[in-house]
């Protein structure tokens, strides 16, 4: 992605710290340790977000601005959200979330889509289904991405996609690996299309 440059905007731990609206936003959501920050870094082509050796490391919403060329206003904003549901499954993912996550997902006008990151190596997790339903009820667009695909064989990937589609009620699962770069271009294209549509339709901004 050489024609883009990334700047770290800020790390928010309350709704009043969210950045002023400046461009369509794409949020990265998923269980703790699933690989959200690694995905963001793979997309950006350099280590912008902190990758954790211990689960639950990201405790804030970290906002990154993506600029095209020398333009001052960003083309889009990527938001790296704290993970949910590591090890134990609670009745509601919201119980485990810091209070500023709900306002972001429910009320943020600039939020154009949510990238829901799931681990392809394990069976569909209840916490992921809860999140899917929550976002559906909010009317949020979802891009479901199955990550850590490098750990699976071709046949295993096909089976995993089938299981995830059913459990998360989506037509398409994008196959991804931050380790070998699989799916990086596809996810980037998907995000750019959504951002372009959001700008045209005035759904955001
Ligand atoms: P939290 O912020 O703690 O919720 O974690 P996260 O979802 O941001 O995960 P992170 O990117 O920090 O990665 C967690 C661990 O998974 C790290 O040890 C990564 O190296 C590893 N990991 C991430 N993506 C991949 C991948 O595509 N393949 C493999 N094999 N490992 C990965
Ligand atoms: Mg993280």
């Amino acid at each position: 992605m050489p024609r883009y440059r990334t700047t770290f905007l800020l790390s928010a731990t309350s709704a009043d710290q969210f950045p002023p609206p400046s461009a369509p936003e794409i949020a990265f959501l998923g269980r703790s340790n699933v690989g959200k920050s690694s995905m963001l870094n793979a997309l950006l082509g350099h280590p912008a977000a902190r990758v954790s050796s211990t689960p639950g490391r990201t405790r804030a919403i970290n906002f990154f601005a993506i600029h095209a060329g020398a333009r001052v206003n960003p083309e889009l904003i990527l938001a790296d959200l704290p993970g949910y549901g590591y090890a134990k499954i609670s009745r509601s993912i919201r119980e485990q979330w810091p209070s500023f996550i709900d306002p972001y997902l429910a009320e943020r006008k600039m939020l154009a889509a949510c990238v829901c990151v799931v681990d392809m190596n394990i069976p569909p997790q209840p916490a992921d289904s809860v999140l899917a339903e929550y976002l559906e009820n909010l009317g949020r667009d979802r891009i479901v991405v199955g990550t850590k695909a490098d750990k699976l064989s071709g046949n295993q990937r096909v089976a995993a996609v089938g299981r995830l589609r059913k459990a998360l009620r989506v037509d398409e699962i994008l196959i991804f690996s931050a380790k070998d770069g699989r799916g990086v271009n596809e996810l980037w294209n998907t995000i750019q299309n959504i951002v372009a549509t959001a700008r045209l339709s005035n759904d955001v901004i």
Side-chain angles (χ1 to χ4, degrees):
M1 241 179 20
R3 61 201 183 282
Y4 289 95
R5 70 198 156 81
T6 312
T7 52
F8 172 70
L9 272 182
L10 57 85
S11 194
T13 52
S14 64
D16 59 2
Q17 292 173 354
F18 296 159
S22 62
E25 293 174 10
I26 306 286
F28 288 73
L29 287 153
R31 291 167 60 251
S32 284
N33 219 36
V34 73
K36 298 175 291 298
S37 300
S38 301
M39 183 172 292
L40 227 127
N41 289 339
L43 278 174
L44 300 177
H46 61 93
R50 185 182 290 179
V51 171
S52 38
S53 48
T54 48
R57 189 65 184 273
T58 312
R59 298 314 303 159
I61 304 182
N62 291 313
F63 292 91
F64 299 88
I66 313 295
H67 297 263
R71 274 191 223 160
V72 176
N73 287 334
E75 296 299 298
L76 71 146
I77 308 270
L78 303 182
D80 189 13
L81 272 78
Y84 55 83
Y86 187 79
K88 62 171 192 272
I89 297 149
S90 86
R91 219 167 344 121
S92 159
I93 49 163
R94 290 201 277 164
E95 286 168 19
Q96 307 168 27
W97 279 10
S99 57
F100 55 88
I101 308 286
D102 262 0
Y104 182 75
L105 293 176
E107 292 156 26
R108 184 76 170 169
K109 290 215 165 46
M110 308 303 287
L111 180 57
C114 296
V115 175
C116 298
V117 188
V118 294
D119 189 340
M120 291 202 78
N121 295 280
I122 56 173
Q125 299 293 295
D128 295 326
S129 303
V130 172
L131 176 71
E133 202 183 324
Y134 174 67
L135 293 175
E136 251 181 3
N137 289 338
L138 288 175
R140 290 298 188 192
D141 273 354
R142 293 184 290 144
I143 309 164
V144 181
V145 185
T147 193
K148 304 190 182 178
D150 54 279
K151 291 184 169 180
L152 293 175
S153 72
N155 284 344
Q156 288 172 321
R157 276 196 289 273
V158 173
V161 164
R163 282 195 297 269
L164 287 167
R165 281 179 58 193
K166 204 169 159 200
L168 302 176
R169 297 191 299 176
V170 282
D171 293 334
E172 202 188 339
I173 307 278
L174 207 151
I175 297 172
F176 190 93
S177 165
K179 204 166 180 180
D180 66 19
R182 182 194 315 256
V184 169
N185 289 340
E186 206 179 342
L187 178 56
W188 185 238
N189 289 339
T190 303
I191 287 172
Q192 283 188 313
N193 286 338
I194 286 171
V195 168
T197 307
R199 281 186 184 279
L200 283 175
S201 68
N202 280 334
D203 276 352
V204 291
I205 301 177

